[in-house]
Amino acid sequence: AEQFGETTGVDDNGHTWVETWTTDPLTKVASGQRSGSTWTSTWTETLSKSAIGDLTVEGVNTSGDKWGEKCGTHANGTTWREKWLHKLDGYVEELGWNSAGQHTGFRMGQRDDGEKWVESWVQVEKDGIVKGILEGENVHGDLWKEEWENTQLNAINEATGEQLMSRCGKKSGNNRDGKQWTEAWGTDDIYGQWG
């Protein structure tokens, strides 16, 4: 039997939207319509499974935006997941995770003033320490780089039972006029923040 449902929500600007959807259990195709006070968008999603068991969901809406998600397991047992969004206005976002603690990402887009930019990052978690690096640039020659490290401290918040953390990082870059800049920052659940 066909499955269906309805969801309501509020966007970042406080506007209410309603989404209705149906899924055909035989074709694995889902379709729906999301509408607000002054707009309506319809979409479809397709679920497929590869011969080795990888699952893929791909979707598109009437605005021309495309999205998807894919997940699976490598031969060594590491599970992985990827998500992507390609909007008609040129915005692109691609994210990846795996059970070994690695996160990757890529984003590019255009600001309201027409300036294009691109960023990519990788983050790795091992032994309670999360390390990451992000690099980006725009068409005017601005370059930026951010590195960070989050570490679990050997202490527990007695009131909440949560592990205390220390987070620090640095940002640096070259502006289009050739000037270099750098800044450092940090927060610590015991000693406070700096930077």
Side-chain angles (χ1 to χ4, degrees):
E2 195 172 58
Q3 300 171 333
F4 58 91
E6 181 176 291
T7 306
T8 60
V10 179
D11 66 19
D12 294 339
N13 298 315
H15 301 122
T16 302
W17 53 264
V18 178
E19 184 169 57
T20 56
W21 54 268
T22 59
T23 303
D24 186 318
L26 297 177
T27 63
K28 306 297 186 192
V29 174
S31 60
Q33 178 173 294
R34 182 180 283 202
S35 58
S37 59
T38 60
W39 56 273
T40 298
S41 178
T42 57
W43 55 267
T44 58
E45 280 188 346
T46 305
L47 172 67
S48 61
K49 187 173 185 178
S50 74
I52 60 172
D54 296 345
L55 292 174
T56 303
V57 175
E58 294 181 289
V60 63
N61 64 21
T62 49
S63 300
D65 301 332
K66 297 179 181 179
W67 63 89
E69 186 168 348
K70 190 173 183 179
C71 62
T73 303
H74 293 300
N76 65 4
T78 302
T79 58
W80 56 271
R81 172 169 281 177
E82 298 171 349
K83 291 179 77 171
W84 62 90
L85 170 65
H86 295 194
K87 297 189 80 172
L88 194 62
D89 64 7
Y91 179 80
V92 172
E93 185 169 88
E94 299 174 353
L95 307 172
W97 307 265
N98 67 35
S99 59
Q102 185 177 52
H103 299 245
T104 58
F106 172 83
R107 275 193 303 244
M108 72 177 188
Q110 184 170 300
R111 296 194 179 124
D112 292 339
D113 61 5
E115 182 174 301
K116 294 181 180 180
W117 54 271
V118 61
E119 290 182 330
S120 61
W121 68 92
V122 62
Q123 178 175 291
V124 178
E125 181 176 355
K126 187 175 180 182
D127 299 328
I129 299 174
V130 177
K131 294 183 177 182
I133 185 167
L134 176 147
E135 296 180 285
E137 62 182 294
N138 62 28
V139 294
H140 298 293
D142 297 324
L143 303 173
W144 57 91
K145 182 177 181 180
E146 182 174 358
E147 297 176 74
W148 62 91
E149 182 174 307
N150 300 337
T151 306
Q152 291 182 351
L153 301 175
N154 291 322
I156 302 276
N157 182 324
E158 291 182 8
T160 65
E162 294 178 351
Q163 183 84 36
L164 298 181
M165 298 289 294
S166 174
R167 303 168 184 86
C168 61
K170 65 179 180 179
K171 296 180 182 179
S172 60
N174 294 309
N175 292 340
R176 64 193 76 177
D177 57 9
K179 292 183 179 176
Q180 294 183 336
W181 57 271
T182 185
E183 60 184 54
W185 54 270
T187 62
D188 189 299
D189 290 339
I190 296 176
Y191 298 108
Q193 63 183 22
W194 65 92

